[in-house]
Amino acid sequence: MRFLLDAEQRAFAASLDAMLTSADTPSIVRAWAGGDHAPGRALWSRLADAGVFALAVPEAYEGVGPLPVELALACVELGRHAVPGPVAETLAVAALLSELSRLGEPGPAERLLPALASGKSVTTLVLSGGDAPEAGTSSSSGSHAPDAGTAPPSDGPAPCPRAAAPPRGYALDADAATVLLVVDGDGLWLASGHGPVRASVDPARRLAPIDAGGELLAAGPQVARAALRASVWARLAIAAQALGTGLALLDRTVAYVGQRTQFGVAVGSFQAVKHRLADAMIALEFARPLLFGAALSMAPADVAAAKVTACEAAYATARTALQLHGAIGYTAEYDLSLWFTRARALRSVWGTPAECRAEALAGLSGGGRPRS
C-alpha cells in the first residue's frame, strides 16, 4: 500500500514547523527544565490556537477530532522542535475521557475536555500498575526516579468520592499541569497535589510524586477499558515525537559534519560518516510509514510496532549524532543535548522496547489487545 499526506495535512505540518522555528524552543526547554513554565505555557497556548490539542477531542466537547493521523503529524513537529510538557499524557487524557463518555460516563469529559482542547489546562496522567508516563533514569545520569505508578493498594479505591486517596505514583510535569489524573484499576481520580520534583533522563521531563488525597471522578470496568485506549494514544504520540526528535538530530548532524573539517576537508565527505548518516536516515524513514499506518488503524499492535521502531530509530540516530559531533555533543550547553536526552527518555516511556515488541508480536499471532 502506498499512501501520502494530502496538501492540507502538509500545510498544517509546515505551519507548525514555521511557528515552532520562530519560537526559540531551546530556550523554552531550558526554562522548563529549570522550573519556569511561563514560556512553555505560552507556547502551549499557541499550539492550542493552532488546533493541536483539539485533534484528540470530539466535536461534542469543543474539539475537532479524533483525528489520529493529523495528531501524529503534529506530534512529529513537536518532537522535531523538542516542545516540553506532558504532550502524550494530555492527549491520552483526551482519549481516556472520550472513551469514558462513549461508555456511558460523560461527566468527566464534560468537565475537563473543553479546557484541554482550548489549551487552558495542561493535563498529566498516571496509570498505576500499567504503562508508566516516565520510566526513570539510568545510573549514569546521576539521579534516579522510580517508575511512574506504584502498585495500587490491595483493597483498591474506596467507593466514597472523597474518603480515600489515590495511590502514590510519579507523574510527569505535575508541577506544570493544572489537572492531574490517576487511574487505579477501576477508579479514575483527580489528584489534589504532588510532592517535590525529581529529575529524569531528560531535564525537561520533570517527575513528581503524587500526594495522597483527591476526588474519585469515575469507577467501574469502563475506566480500565478507557485506560487501554489512553495508552494506545499515548504510544502513538510518543512514537511521533520520537520520529521528529530523530529527524532533528539527523538534520543537525548533517549540517555539523558539513562544516567541521579534518585534514583540510569536511568531515561529512568521509565514507564512514556517510554510512552512519545513511543508516540513521533509513531507520527513520522506515519508521515513518509504520507511524502513519498505525495512526490509520489505531490497532494496539500496530501502534506498539510504530512506537518501538520510531523510538529505536531516534535512539540510534542520537548515538550517531553524539559520536559525529565529538566532545561538543556531550556538553549540556550545546543544543544537541536537548534532543539527545529526549530520544533517550522517549525510548522507554509508555512501554519499553521489549514490551512493545511483545505486543506487536502478539498482535501478529492474534493474541494482542483488542482494537481500541
PDB file of all heavy atoms in Angstrom, residues 130-135 231 234-235 238 304 307-308 311 345-357 359 369:
ATOM      1  N   GLY A 130       0.193   0.014  35.309  1.00  0.00           N
ATOM      2  CA  GLY A 130       0.210  -0.192  33.866  1.00  0.00           C
ATOM      3  C   GLY A 130       1.374   0.543  33.247  1.00  0.00           C
ATOM      4  O   GLY A 130       2.433   0.675  33.835  1.00  0.00           O
ATOM      5  N   ASP A 131       1.171   1.047  32.020  1.00  0.00           N
ATOM      6  CA  ASP A 131       2.222   1.796  31.346  1.00  0.00           C
ATOM      7  C   ASP A 131       2.555   3.040  32.147  1.00  0.00           C
ATOM      8  O   ASP A 131       1.675   3.759  32.587  1.00  0.00           O
ATOM      9  CB  ASP A 131       1.771   2.202  29.935  1.00  0.00           C
ATOM     10  CG  ASP A 131       1.744   1.017  28.995  1.00  0.00           C
ATOM     11  OD1 ASP A 131       2.526   0.081  29.222  1.00  0.00           O
ATOM     12  OD2 ASP A 131       0.950   1.027  28.053  1.00  0.00           O
ATOM     13  N   ALA A 132       3.821   3.298  32.327  1.00  0.00           N
ATOM     14  CA  ALA A 132       4.258   4.431  33.136  1.00  0.00           C
ATOM     15  C   ALA A 132       4.538   5.639  32.272  1.00  0.00           C
ATOM     16  O   ALA A 132       5.146   5.528  31.217  1.00  0.00           O
ATOM     17  CB  ALA A 132       5.518   4.051  33.907  1.00  0.00           C
ATOM     18  N   PRO A 133       4.105   6.834  32.706  1.00  0.00           N
ATOM     19  CA  PRO A 133       4.431   8.024  31.940  1.00  0.00           C
ATOM     20  C   PRO A 133       5.921   8.289  31.819  1.00  0.00           C
ATOM     21  O   PRO A 133       6.351   8.926  30.890  1.00  0.00           O
ATOM     22  CB  PRO A 133       3.736   9.142  32.740  1.00  0.00           C
ATOM     23  CG  PRO A 133       2.645   8.463  33.476  1.00  0.00           C
ATOM     24  CD  PRO A 133       3.178   7.093  33.796  1.00  0.00           C
ATOM     25  N   GLU A 134       6.716   7.858  32.769  1.00  0.00           N
ATOM     26  CA  GLU A 134       8.160   8.056  32.690  1.00  0.00           C
ATOM     27  C   GLU A 134       8.831   6.847  33.318  1.00  0.00           C
ATOM     28  O   GLU A 134       8.416   6.368  34.366  1.00  0.00           O
ATOM     29  CB  GLU A 134       8.554   9.326  33.441  1.00  0.00           C
ATOM     30  CG  GLU A 134      10.031   9.619  33.381  1.00  0.00           C
ATOM     31  CD  GLU A 134      10.487   9.943  31.968  1.00  0.00           C
ATOM     32  OE1 GLU A 134      10.301  11.065  31.498  1.00  0.00           O
ATOM     33  OE2 GLU A 134      11.039   9.031  31.334  1.00  0.00           O
ATOM     34  N   ALA A 135       9.863   6.344  32.664  1.00  0.00           N
ATOM     35  CA  ALA A 135      10.453   5.087  33.101  1.00  0.00           C
ATOM     36  C   ALA A 135      11.650   5.250  34.016  1.00  0.00           C
ATOM     37  O   ALA A 135      12.275   4.287  34.381  1.00  0.00           O
ATOM     38  CB  ALA A 135      10.862   4.267  31.892  1.00  0.00           C
ATOM     39  N   SER A 231      -3.654   4.485  26.646  1.00  0.00           N
ATOM     40  CA  SER A 231      -2.267   4.056  26.465  1.00  0.00           C
ATOM     41  C   SER A 231      -1.920   3.930  24.984  1.00  0.00           C
ATOM     42  O   SER A 231      -0.779   4.206  24.582  1.00  0.00           O
ATOM     43  CB  SER A 231      -2.014   2.731  27.190  1.00  0.00           C
ATOM     44  OG  SER A 231      -2.704   1.659  26.576  1.00  0.00           O
ATOM     45  N   ALA A 234      -1.339   7.474  23.788  1.00  0.00           N
ATOM     46  CA  ALA A 234      -0.077   7.971  24.328  1.00  0.00           C
ATOM     47  C   ALA A 234       1.105   7.399  23.556  1.00  0.00           C
ATOM     48  O   ALA A 234       2.065   8.111  23.223  1.00  0.00           O
ATOM     49  CB  ALA A 234       0.039   7.627  25.810  1.00  0.00           C
ATOM     50  N   ARG A 235       1.052   6.098  23.256  1.00  0.00           N
ATOM     51  CA  ARG A 235       2.137   5.478  22.490  1.00  0.00           C
ATOM     52  C   ARG A 235       2.245   6.064  21.092  1.00  0.00           C
ATOM     53  O   ARG A 235       3.358   6.258  20.575  1.00  0.00           O
ATOM     54  CB  ARG A 235       1.923   3.968  22.407  1.00  0.00           C
ATOM     55  CG  ARG A 235       2.271   3.228  23.683  1.00  0.00           C
ATOM     56  CD  ARG A 235       2.077   1.731  23.528  1.00  0.00           C
ATOM     57  NE  ARG A 235       2.515   1.025  24.727  1.00  0.00           N
ATOM     58  CZ  ARG A 235       2.451  -0.291  24.877  1.00  0.00           C
ATOM     59  NH1 ARG A 235       1.958  -1.051  23.899  1.00  0.00           N
ATOM     60  NH2 ARG A 235       2.878  -0.858  25.995  1.00  0.00           N
ATOM     61  N   ILE A 238       3.981   9.384  21.490  1.00  0.00           N
ATOM     62  CA  ILE A 238       5.404   9.189  21.790  1.00  0.00           C
ATOM     63  C   ILE A 238       6.159   8.766  20.536  1.00  0.00           C
ATOM     64  O   ILE A 238       7.266   9.254  20.259  1.00  0.00           O
ATOM     65  CB  ILE A 238       5.576   8.139  22.900  1.00  0.00           C
ATOM     66  CG1 ILE A 238       5.056   8.668  24.238  1.00  0.00           C
ATOM     67  CG2 ILE A 238       7.035   7.716  23.020  1.00  0.00           C
ATOM     68  CD1 ILE A 238       5.860   9.804  24.821  1.00  0.00           C
ATOM     69  N   ALA A 304       2.080  -0.230  18.875  1.00  0.00           N
ATOM     70  CA  ALA A 304       3.259  -0.722  19.600  1.00  0.00           C
ATOM     71  C   ALA A 304       4.442  -0.894  18.655  1.00  0.00           C
ATOM     72  O   ALA A 304       5.582  -0.550  18.990  1.00  0.00           O
ATOM     73  CB  ALA A 304       2.932  -2.042  20.296  1.00  0.00           C
ATOM     74  N   LYS A 307       5.761   2.474  17.771  1.00  0.00           N
ATOM     75  CA  LYS A 307       6.453   3.089  18.900  1.00  0.00           C
ATOM     76  C   LYS A 307       7.864   2.546  19.046  1.00  0.00           C
ATOM     77  O   LYS A 307       8.830   3.305  19.171  1.00  0.00           O
ATOM     78  CB  LYS A 307       5.638   2.853  20.170  1.00  0.00           C
ATOM     79  CG  LYS A 307       5.967   3.790  21.317  1.00  0.00           C
ATOM     80  CD  LYS A 307       6.947   3.178  22.295  1.00  0.00           C
ATOM     81  CE  LYS A 307       7.234   4.117  23.450  1.00  0.00           C
ATOM     82  NZ  LYS A 307       8.320   3.665  24.325  1.00  0.00           N
ATOM     83  N   VAL A 308       8.020   1.229  19.033  1.00  0.00           N
ATOM     84  CA  VAL A 308       9.353   0.665  19.224  1.00  0.00           C
ATOM     85  C   VAL A 308      10.252   0.997  18.037  1.00  0.00           C
ATOM     86  O   VAL A 308      11.441   1.297  18.208  1.00  0.00           O
ATOM     87  CB  VAL A 308       9.278  -0.861  19.469  1.00  0.00           C
ATOM     88  CG1 VAL A 308       8.838  -1.624  18.239  1.00  0.00           C
ATOM     89  CG2 VAL A 308      10.620  -1.382  19.954  1.00  0.00           C
ATOM     90  N   CYS A 311      11.133   4.878  18.197  1.00  0.00           N
ATOM     91  CA  CYS A 311      11.986   5.190  19.346  1.00  0.00           C
ATOM     92  C   CYS A 311      13.384   4.597  19.197  1.00  0.00           C
ATOM     93  O   CYS A 311      14.383   5.239  19.547  1.00  0.00           O
ATOM     94  CB  CYS A 311      11.332   4.704  20.636  1.00  0.00           C
ATOM     95  SG  CYS A 311       9.900   5.684  21.138  1.00  0.00           S
ATOM     96  N   ALA A 345      14.905   9.431  26.678  1.00  0.00           N
ATOM     97  CA  ALA A 345      13.771   9.313  27.594  1.00  0.00           C
ATOM     98  C   ALA A 345      12.564   8.666  26.921  1.00  0.00           C
ATOM     99  O   ALA A 345      11.889   7.808  27.505  1.00  0.00           O
ATOM    100  CB  ALA A 345      13.398  10.691  28.140  1.00  0.00           C
ATOM    101  N   LEU A 346      12.270   9.074  25.677  1.00  0.00           N
ATOM    102  CA  LEU A 346      11.082   8.566  24.990  1.00  0.00           C
ATOM    103  C   LEU A 346      11.172   7.069  24.721  1.00  0.00           C
ATOM    104  O   LEU A 346      10.144   6.400  24.564  1.00  0.00           O
ATOM    105  CB  LEU A 346      10.881   9.311  23.672  1.00  0.00           C
ATOM    106  CG  LEU A 346      10.544  10.795  23.760  1.00  0.00           C
ATOM    107  CD1 LEU A 346      10.390  11.378  22.365  1.00  0.00           C
ATOM    108  CD2 LEU A 346       9.278  11.034  24.582  1.00  0.00           C
ATOM    109  N   ARG A 347      12.367   6.551  24.678  1.00  0.00           N
ATOM    110  CA  ARG A 347      12.561   5.152  24.316  1.00  0.00           C
ATOM    111  C   ARG A 347      11.814   4.190  25.239  1.00  0.00           C
ATOM    112  O   ARG A 347      11.345   3.139  24.807  1.00  0.00           O
ATOM    113  CB  ARG A 347      14.052   4.844  24.335  1.00  0.00           C
ATOM    114  CG  ARG A 347      14.440   3.477  23.822  1.00  0.00           C
ATOM    115  CD  ARG A 347      15.956   3.368  23.752  1.00  0.00           C
ATOM    116  NE  ARG A 347      16.366   2.079  23.245  1.00  0.00           N
ATOM    117  CZ  ARG A 347      17.185   1.250  23.883  1.00  0.00           C
ATOM    118  NH1 ARG A 347      17.670   1.587  25.067  1.00  0.00           N
ATOM    119  NH2 ARG A 347      17.528   0.103  23.352  1.00  0.00           N
ATOM    120  N   SER A 348      11.696   4.543  26.521  1.00  0.00           N
ATOM    121  CA  SER A 348      11.117   3.591  27.468  1.00  0.00           C
ATOM    122  C   SER A 348       9.851   4.079  28.150  1.00  0.00           C
ATOM    123  O   SER A 348       9.342   3.420  29.046  1.00  0.00           O
ATOM    124  CB  SER A 348      12.153   3.227  28.542  1.00  0.00           C
ATOM    125  OG  SER A 348      12.634   4.383  29.184  1.00  0.00           O
ATOM    126  N   VAL A 349       9.308   5.222  27.741  1.00  0.00           N
ATOM    127  CA  VAL A 349       8.065   5.685  28.351  1.00  0.00           C
ATOM    128  C   VAL A 349       6.866   5.074  27.628  1.00  0.00           C
ATOM    129  O   VAL A 349       6.917   4.799  26.438  1.00  0.00           O
ATOM    130  CB  VAL A 349       7.957   7.223  28.340  1.00  0.00           C
ATOM    131  CG1 VAL A 349       9.090   7.841  29.135  1.00  0.00           C
ATOM    132  CG2 VAL A 349       7.950   7.767  26.926  1.00  0.00           C
ATOM    133  N   TRP A 350       5.796   4.850  28.381  1.00  0.00           N
ATOM    134  CA  TRP A 350       4.581   4.243  27.857  1.00  0.00           C
ATOM    135  C   TRP A 350       4.875   2.927  27.120  1.00  0.00           C
ATOM    136  O   TRP A 350       4.355   2.654  26.047  1.00  0.00           O
ATOM    137  CB  TRP A 350       3.824   5.221  26.942  1.00  0.00           C
ATOM    138  CG  TRP A 350       3.215   6.345  27.711  1.00  0.00           C
ATOM    139  CD1 TRP A 350       3.742   7.586  27.894  1.00  0.00           C
ATOM    140  CD2 TRP A 350       1.981   6.310  28.436  1.00  0.00           C
ATOM    141  NE1 TRP A 350       2.921   8.328  28.688  1.00  0.00           N
ATOM    142  CE2 TRP A 350       1.819   7.583  29.033  1.00  0.00           C
ATOM    143  CE3 TRP A 350       0.993   5.341  28.629  1.00  0.00           C
ATOM    144  CZ2 TRP A 350       0.722   7.907  29.816  1.00  0.00           C
ATOM    145  CZ3 TRP A 350      -0.105   5.673  29.410  1.00  0.00           C
ATOM    146  CH2 TRP A 350      -0.238   6.938  29.994  1.00  0.00           C
ATOM    147  N   GLY A 351       5.734   2.142  27.721  1.00  0.00           N
ATOM    148  CA  GLY A 351       6.070   0.839  27.153  1.00  0.00           C
ATOM    149  C   GLY A 351       7.515   0.760  26.732  1.00  0.00           C
ATOM    150  O   GLY A 351       7.955   1.529  25.875  1.00  0.00           O
ATOM    151  N   THR A 352       8.277  -0.138  27.345  1.00  0.00           N
ATOM    152  CA  THR A 352       9.675  -0.324  26.972  1.00  0.00           C
ATOM    153  C   THR A 352       9.756  -0.988  25.595  1.00  0.00           C
ATOM    154  O   THR A 352       8.758  -1.531  25.094  1.00  0.00           O
ATOM    155  CB  THR A 352      10.381  -1.213  27.995  1.00  0.00           C
ATOM    156  OG1 THR A 352       9.785  -2.524  27.959  1.00  0.00           O
ATOM    157  CG2 THR A 352      10.262  -0.639  29.404  1.00  0.00           C
ATOM    158  N   PRO A 353      10.925  -0.970  24.967  1.00  0.00           N
ATOM    159  CA  PRO A 353      11.055  -1.668  23.678  1.00  0.00           C
ATOM    160  C   PRO A 353      10.633  -3.132  23.757  1.00  0.00           C
ATOM    161  O   PRO A 353       9.965  -3.645  22.851  1.00  0.00           O
ATOM    162  CB  PRO A 353      12.542  -1.521  23.358  1.00  0.00           C
ATOM    163  CG  PRO A 353      12.942  -0.239  24.011  1.00  0.00           C
ATOM    164  CD  PRO A 353      12.154  -0.191  25.280  1.00  0.00           C
ATOM    165  N   ALA A 354      11.010  -3.819  24.847  1.00  0.00           N
ATOM    166  CA  ALA A 354      10.639  -5.235  24.974  1.00  0.00           C
ATOM    167  C   ALA A 354       9.127  -5.396  25.073  1.00  0.00           C
ATOM    168  O   ALA A 354       8.547  -6.315  24.466  1.00  0.00           O
ATOM    169  CB  ALA A 354      11.322  -5.836  26.199  1.00  0.00           C
ATOM    170  N   GLU A 355       8.467  -4.534  25.836  1.00  0.00           N
ATOM    171  CA  GLU A 355       7.015  -4.628  25.984  1.00  0.00           C
ATOM    172  C   GLU A 355       6.313  -4.352  24.657  1.00  0.00           C
ATOM    173  O   GLU A 355       5.343  -5.043  24.302  1.00  0.00           O
ATOM    174  CB  GLU A 355       6.547  -3.639  27.052  1.00  0.00           C
ATOM    175  CG  GLU A 355       6.967  -4.015  28.460  1.00  0.00           C
ATOM    176  CD  GLU A 355       6.755  -2.898  29.453  1.00  0.00           C
ATOM    177  OE1 GLU A 355       6.547  -1.730  29.028  1.00  0.00           O
ATOM    178  OE2 GLU A 355       6.819  -3.170  30.666  1.00  0.00           O
ATOM    179  N   CYS A 356       6.778  -3.357  23.933  1.00  0.00           N
ATOM    180  CA  CYS A 356       6.140  -3.030  22.656  1.00  0.00           C
ATOM    181  C   CYS A 356       6.373  -4.127  21.619  1.00  0.00           C
ATOM    182  O   CYS A 356       5.472  -4.459  20.835  1.00  0.00           O
ATOM    183  CB  CYS A 356       6.654  -1.690  22.146  1.00  0.00           C
ATOM    184  SG  CYS A 356       6.064  -0.274  23.104  1.00  0.00           S
ATOM    185  N   ARG A 357       7.574  -4.695  21.611  1.00  0.00           N
ATOM    186  CA  ARG A 357       7.825  -5.808  20.691  1.00  0.00           C
ATOM    187  C   ARG A 357       6.912  -6.985  21.009  1.00  0.00           C
ATOM    188  O   ARG A 357       6.369  -7.630  20.101  1.00  0.00           O
ATOM    189  CB  ARG A 357       9.284  -6.234  20.777  1.00  0.00           C
ATOM    190  CG  ARG A 357      10.269  -5.285  20.126  1.00  0.00           C
ATOM    191  CD  ARG A 357      11.655  -5.907  20.024  1.00  0.00           C
ATOM    192  NE  ARG A 357      12.618  -4.980  19.459  1.00  0.00           N
ATOM    193  CZ  ARG A 357      13.443  -4.227  20.166  1.00  0.00           C
ATOM    194  NH1 ARG A 357      13.438  -4.314  21.490  1.00  0.00           N
ATOM    195  NH2 ARG A 357      14.279  -3.404  19.575  1.00  0.00           N
ATOM    196  N   GLU A 359       3.982  -6.938  22.389  1.00  0.00           N
ATOM    197  CA  GLU A 359       2.607  -6.652  21.975  1.00  0.00           C
ATOM    198  C   GLU A 359       2.454  -6.706  20.466  1.00  0.00           C
ATOM    199  O   GLU A 359       1.448  -7.200  19.953  1.00  0.00           O
ATOM    200  CB  GLU A 359       2.170  -5.288  22.501  1.00  0.00           C
ATOM    201  CG  GLU A 359       0.751  -4.939  22.114  1.00  0.00           C
ATOM    202  CD  GLU A 359       0.043  -4.092  23.139  1.00  0.00           C
ATOM    203  OE1 GLU A 359       0.617  -3.813  24.207  1.00  0.00           O
ATOM    204  OE2 GLU A 359      -1.106  -3.715  22.865  1.00  0.00           O
ATOM    205  N   ARG A 369      -3.970  -7.079  22.444  1.00  0.00           N
ATOM    206  CA  ARG A 369      -5.141  -6.416  22.982  1.00  0.00           C
ATOM    207  C   ARG A 369      -6.125  -6.124  21.860  1.00  0.00           C
ATOM    208  O   ARG A 369      -5.738  -5.896  20.706  1.00  0.00           O
ATOM    209  CB  ARG A 369      -4.748  -5.078  23.649  1.00  0.00           C
ATOM    210  CG  ARG A 369      -4.059  -5.250  24.966  1.00  0.00           C
ATOM    211  CD  ARG A 369      -3.853  -3.893  25.642  1.00  0.00           C
ATOM    212  NE  ARG A 369      -2.849  -3.098  24.953  1.00  0.00           N
ATOM    213  CZ  ARG A 369      -2.506  -1.876  25.343  1.00  0.00           C
ATOM    214  NH1 ARG A 369      -3.058  -1.328  26.411  1.00  0.00           N
ATOM    215  NH2 ARG A 369      -1.584  -1.198  24.682  1.00  0.00           N
TER     216      ARG A 369
END
